[in-house]
Amino acid sequence: MKEDVNQLSNQEVKEIFEDKQSKQILVDVREYEEYVDQHIPGIPLVPMSEIAEKVEDFKKDESYVFVCRSGRRSHEVSRFFLENGFQKVANYDGGMLNWDGPVETGEENIVDDVKDIYKEG
């Protein structure tokens, strides 16, 4: 826990990624170019630069894990969500620099409408 933000390890994030039944939603908050270069397969991109204008579109009762390159920006996004009334947020401490799982390239899941990040069913 750092500044009231739960910090998740590489192993914890991997377990969330591998558990298709997980209720936690991984969200990449890096910029477009970083995501296209390399990202965790399937996870959505909502750049930090767009978070403030889209925060109201996120469901407050869901659980989020934010991902960036090193964990700094995703920590700030986590704090911003806490300040906006979200309770179930966590930061991937170490970010993509620590990720040793599978990666994908390209424009796989770039989010225009936040509702698209929620699993149906």
Side-chain angles (χ1 to χ4, degrees):
M1 190 74 81
K2 180 172 129 189
E3 297 177 326
D4 296 326
V5 175
N6 192 14
Q7 305 291 317
L8 299 185
S9 69
N10 187 51
Q11 187 58 41
E12 290 170 306
V13 173
K14 259 184 157 165
E15 288 169 9
I16 292 166
F17 170 72
E18 291 168 356
D19 178 4
K20 300 307 174 200
Q21 303 304 311
S22 175
K23 298 291 184 214
Q24 291 180 287
I25 301 169
L26 295 167
V27 180
D28 196 318
V29 298
R30 297 173 301 154
E31 293 306 312
Y32 172 84
E33 297 79 16
E34 295 172 286
Y35 180 88
V36 168
D37 186 50
Q38 172 178 295
H39 57 268
I40 298 171
I43 79 167
L45 171 69
V46 182
M48 182 179 181
S49 60
E50 298 175 13
I51 288 288
E53 67 192 45
K54 293 184 175 180
V55 69
E56 295 297 322
D57 297 333
F58 284 83
K59 297 178 182 177
K60 288 195 172 168
D61 58 341
E62 296 286 349
S63 180
Y64 304 96
V65 177
F66 297 107
V67 177
C68 71
R69 186 182 70 88
S70 67
R72 184 185 60 78
R73 284 175 286 176
S74 50
H75 177 78
E76 293 304 318
V77 169
S78 298
R79 286 185 54 223
F80 180 75
F81 268 64
L82 288 171
E83 290 165 6
N84 280 275
F86 290 79
Q87 295 179 353
K88 297 184 281 188
V89 298
N91 176 45
Y92 175 17
D93 188 37
M96 290 300 292
L97 291 175
N98 282 351
W99 182 252
D100 59 1
V103 294
E104 189 60 67
T105 60
E107 298 183 357
E108 185 183 14
N109 195 357
I110 296 173
V111 174
D112 215 18
D113 189 336
V114 170
K115 74 175 176 10
D116 294 339
I117 73 170
Y118 301 105
K119 296 174 187 166
E120 297 303 318

